Amino acid sequence: LDLLPPDCDILCTHPMFGPDSGANGWHGLNFVYERTRIDGVILDPSAAEADKDDSDRESFRDSVGQVHYVHENNDAHVEGMDRMERFLSIWEEEGCNMVPMSCHAHDDYAANSQFITHLMGRILGSQGLKPTPIDTKGFESVLKLVGTTTADSFDLFYGLYKYNQNSENIIAKLRGALDDVVDNLVEFEKKDKSAAPKWAKNMTISSHKKE
């Protein structure tokens, strides 16, 4: 808002898909948007979220609570709204799931879904994981995650990190979660008094009897 001229209308958008996930069409894929500013009026994104099921909404509330109508007597406002709606209609007509959402809420959700997905894919990819002759379905899913995330450019991954203020918190939580899991393994191992699991003991006994 501060970097653009006051008379510049702002529509923030984020298609939640890329060339791979949208290769066969955009039907049902999420398209997030926020009508941020029209004719110098900063709109209240919470109003858009509250009315997200109302596609025929004719009014908007600005950041100070004043209600503005789509067809109010202001040519610049009407033209700005019409321009935004024509752009959004491109995605809607292609079958996208249109999701009105504030930029703040988007960044929170994106960090906890899109960024952490790419982060885990990059971490696992850096270990050089490869298919084995005994892959489980779970491991196949891991390899698929690595493949889809590392296929994107590092610039994209860096952008998810740099331009989302929640990304560093996600990294800190991931580090803490890894420490917790490892600590639980160590603690469980300390409590485990058996020299070997029961199945290993049974195999030893069976082998001794055959001799």
Side-chain angles (χ1 to χ4, degrees):
L1 290 174
D2 297 333
L3 298 177
L4 295 174
D7 58 346
C8 179
D9 294 342
I10 300 175
L11 172 66
C12 297
T13 67
H14 186 185
M16 302 303 295
F17 53 90
D20 292 329
S21 55
N24 298 317
W26 303 345
H27 186 78
L29 300 178
N30 290 330
F31 184 93
V32 181
Y33 66 94
E34 178 197 87
R35 299 180 184 89
T36 305
R37 185 170 66 194
I38 303 175
D39 188 30
V41 177
I42 300 176
L43 304 178
D44 180 8
S46 63
E49 291 181 43
D51 296 333
K52 62 183 177 181
D53 295 327
D54 182 7
S55 59
D56 298 323
R57 185 160 47 87
E58 294 290 327
S59 63
F60 296 89
R61 191 170 65 248
D62 63 23
S63 57
V64 297
Q66 182 178 353
V67 176
H68 295 264
Y69 292 91
V70 174
H71 304 294
E72 64 186 11
N73 189 23
N74 185 316
D75 290 342
H77 182 94
V78 173
E79 290 175 3
M81 179 60 71
D82 179 66
R83 187 162 48 247
M84 289 185 180
E85 294 306 315
R86 282 189 285 113
F87 176 79
L88 292 173
S89 69
I90 297 172
W91 306 87
E92 188 171 11
E93 290 171 3
E94 289 294 328
C96 289
N97 178 36
M98 307 301 287
V99 185
M101 180 179 294
S102 69
C103 292
H104 177 78
H106 162 273
D107 287 353
D108 187 34
Y109 287 132
N112 283 282
S113 59
Q114 187 182 29
F115 176 67
I116 196 169
T117 299
H118 280 260
L119 179 62
M120 290 304 303
R122 292 281 174 175
I123 291 173
L124 294 171
S126 68
Q127 298 187 45
L129 300 180
K130 295 181 180 179
T132 74
I134 56 171
D135 287 355
T136 62
K137 292 298 182 182
F139 186 66
E140 289 177 356
S141 297
V142 168
L143 292 178
K144 185 177 180 180
L145 171 64
V146 171
T148 55
T149 53
T150 56
D152 290 322
S153 68
F154 194 84
D155 283 343
L156 183 147
F157 178 53
Y158 179 65
L160 295 176
Y161 165 77
K162 180 178 180 180
Y163 298 109
N164 191 327
Q165 60 183 356
N166 302 302
S167 58
E168 289 188 2
N169 186 44
I170 293 299
I171 294 174
K173 285 184 177 180
L174 182 60
R175 285 173 170 163
L178 177 60
D179 289 340
D180 289 343
V181 171
V182 172
D183 288 345
N184 287 337
L185 287 173
V186 173
E187 186 64 26
F188 194 85
E189 185 178 35
K190 290 178 180 178
K191 295 178 181 179
D192 185 7
K193 304 299 183 181
S194 59
K198 291 182 178 180
W199 62 265
K201 290 182 178 180
N202 292 337
M203 287 185 64
T204 301
I205 293 173
S206 299
S207 176
H208 180 71
K209 286 181 178 179
K210 288 180 181 180
E211 293 177 1

